[in-house]
Amino acid sequence: MTVVKTLTELAKANALKDKKVFIRSDLNVPFDDKGNITEDTRIRASLPAIELALQAGAAVMVTSHLGRPTEGVLTEKDSLLPVAKRMSDLLGKEVRLVQHWVENGVSVKPGEVVLLENCRVNVGEKKDNDELAQKMASLCDIYVNDAFGTAHRAEATTHGMAKYAKIACAGPLLEAELQALDKVLKHPARPLVAIVAGSKVSTKLSILKSLAQKVDQLIVGGGIANTFMLAMGLPVGKSLVEVEQVQEAKDIIELMKSRGAQVPIPTDVVVADQFAATAKATIKSAQEVDSDDMILDIGPETARTLAGIIDQAGTVVWNGPVGVFEFDAFAQGTQVLANAIANSKAFSIAGGGDTLAAIAKFNIADKMGYISTGGGAFLEFLEGKVLPAVAALEARTDS
């Protein structure tokens, strides 16, 4: 188990009363063209840490990044003001937005919570500037990282502050992420099945290679599956494919074979002549894909086979839909796998934006073992990489 000090432990020890607690959350929510928040899961996920600190009598400061602002420049679209308003509604109490907080300091009393403006506007944030981190750490008695989604980035509010704060700990969201991921990596119930899908092998090559050394079944989907199909000598027509990654795919297949494990290759697919929601979907054998066909989903036979593998699994790791699930005509494969995971007795953990969107579309969130809030951090942790933000907390267990 990854060992870090936690906010939960400090609250139980009555160590938060009258303390200034600084929480780094992940409040990077999506907006529509009119500036309205379209999905507030990340805000809701941040509330347990805030409420825990408030109930323990702390004065609470919260910050997050939002979008990709230019350092030193705050624009209306980069402001956390809409987040402060939504957070006020959800908490049932005022959450003031504080700007220029590094230069001017923060006034907050026990029982109050303030939201500190977009931390990436501060010059030096992304480069983990030591001077900036020290200034921010001096604002609080206790630093809390509750932003797993940014744990793979060494920035001033995710890494530097953990070095310089009097006390540094993990919030309940980060704590839950680490527990769930440790369960998958260090003590998985077997068989361990991983589903890795996406448009390109090249963007997920390192995670594919890493998982190939650990899992019992490696299910590939989307454009990644097309490259694996090509590696097995199957036709892919005009589908999204990376010819230059074919040898890498072959190597992964052979690595799995050498361990007595498998990469199931689609036996049937759903094709169309164009990438569009209105395109006509046609089911074909994997060996009968024509030169002008575009593979947009796995076929029903393949979906049944993969569902059977999932049904026998002890642990399932899911990152990426296996087809263009946004188009209903090509959503069946992902839906079958989603339902198989939901109905499986296996411990399941899912992460990544598209995966979360599929979980929401097929309404299986309450049947997942754990849904990770991280995308890149989720993959890097599974790959076995050291996450800078977590390492910084591990180094402060004696604080």
Side-chain angles (χ1 to χ4, degrees):
M1 170 64 190
T2 304
V3 179
V4 297
K5 189 185 292 290
T6 70
L7 184 66
T8 303
E9 292 168 349
L10 292 174
K12 287 180 179 177
N14 198 29
L16 304 181
K17 186 172 175 57
D18 297 330
K19 301 295 185 183
K20 284 189 174 182
V21 174
F22 185 112
I23 303 175
R24 173 52 159 102
S25 297
D26 183 0
L27 307 172
N28 189 29
V29 292
F31 290 81
D32 62 20
D33 295 338
K34 296 180 180 178
N36 299 309
I37 296 171
T38 57
E39 210 281 319
D40 67 359
T41 298
R42 284 176 171 166
I43 299 175
R44 292 178 183 275
S46 74
L47 298 184
I50 297 168
E51 291 171 332
L52 181 63
L54 287 174
Q55 290 165 7
V60 183
M61 300 172 272
V62 184
T63 195
S64 172
H65 70 289
L66 180 67
R68 297 180 179 178
T70 300
E71 288 192 357
V73 180
L74 177 65
T75 64
E76 186 177 348
K77 75 177 180 66
D78 295 323
S79 176
L80 286 171
L81 183 58
V83 176
K85 291 178 179 177
R86 181 64 62 87
M87 190 176 282
S88 296
D89 292 341
L90 293 172
L91 284 173
K93 65 186 302 172
E94 182 191 9
V95 177
R96 287 186 290 116
L97 180 69
V98 179
Q99 297 183 341
H100 310 295
W101 47 278
V102 176
E103 304 90 339
N104 300 336
V106 183
S107 175
V108 59
K109 298 175 183 176
E112 292 182 343
V113 56
V114 296
L115 183 61
L116 310 182
E117 187 59 276
N118 194 335
C119 59
R120 282 193 185 159
V121 171
N122 298 319
V123 177
E125 166 67 16
K126 292 198 72 174
K127 291 187 176 179
D128 196 16
N129 179 271
D130 264 0
E131 185 180 351
L132 175 64
Q134 287 172 9
K135 280 184 181 178
M136 294 190 293
S138 70
L139 297 173
C140 67
D141 299 302
I142 298 166
Y143 163 80
V144 183
N145 191 330
D146 206 33
F148 178 74
T150 60
H152 60 313
R153 303 189 188 282
E155 299 180 353
T157 56
T158 63
H159 180 260
M161 285 189 72
K163 292 192 297 182
Y164 298 115
K166 298 170 188 172
I167 295 174
C169 66
L173 181 61
L174 179 57
E175 180 185 359
E177 293 271 5
L178 296 177
Q179 288 176 348
L181 288 164
D182 269 338
K183 186 174 180 179
V184 167
L185 277 184
K186 297 176 181 176
H187 307 287
R190 298 281 179 172
L192 171 56
V193 177
I195 303 167
V196 180
S199 57
K200 294 181 178 181
V201 170
S202 55
T203 59
K204 294 187 176 177
L205 182 59
S206 57
I207 184 67
L208 287 167
K209 285 183 172 179
S210 176
L211 289 175
Q213 301 175 56
K214 303 170 185 173
V215 303
D216 302 299
Q217 300 271 2
L218 178 59
I219 295 171
V220 291
I224 292 175
N226 298 339
T227 302
F228 275 76
M229 288 174 66
L230 191 61
M232 295 300 288
L234 292 166
V236 294
K238 59 178 183 181
S239 308
L240 178 63
V241 68
E242 289 180 291
V243 177
E244 68 278 10
Q245 296 292 336
V246 164
Q247 187 57 52
E248 296 284 5
K250 287 180 178 178
D251 291 345
I252 290 168
I253 291 169
E254 288 304 312
L255 174 58
M256 291 286 284
K257 276 185 181 177
S258 71
R259 297 180 46 249
Q262 289 184 308
V263 182
I265 303 299
T267 55
D268 63 342
V269 292
V270 183
V271 302
D273 60 2
Q274 61 178 324
F275 185 86
T278 55
K280 181 185 176 183
T282 304
I283 299 169
K284 288 191 173 184
S285 161
Q287 297 176 334
E288 296 174 351
V289 176
D290 291 331
S291 59
D292 60 348
D293 283 335
M294 187 179 292
I295 301 171
L296 299 181
D297 194 13
I298 57 174
E301 180 181 89
T302 301
R304 284 194 297 272
T305 299
L306 299 181
I309 290 171
I310 291 167
D311 184 57
Q312 298 300 312
T315 306
V316 177
V317 180
W318 182 18
N319 178 257
V322 294
V324 187
F325 76 100
E326 298 91 341
F327 301 160
D328 287 345
F330 308 102
Q332 191 64 28
T334 301
Q335 184 170 16
V336 169
L337 262 63
N339 288 334
I341 296 169
N343 295 324
S344 169
K345 294 177 182 177
F347 174 73
S348 56
I349 182 167
D354 288 342
T355 312
L356 270 57
I359 287 170
K361 178 170 182 172
F362 302 125
N363 196 30
I364 61 165
D366 60 339
K367 295 181 179 178
M368 296 296 299
Y370 191 80
I371 298 175
S372 174
T373 56
F378 174 74
L379 288 177
E380 289 195 17
F381 195 103
L382 288 178
E383 194 179 330
K385 287 185 177 179
V386 174
L387 303 185
V390 177
L393 292 179
E394 288 179 317
R396 294 298 311 279
T397 53
D398 59 345
S399 64

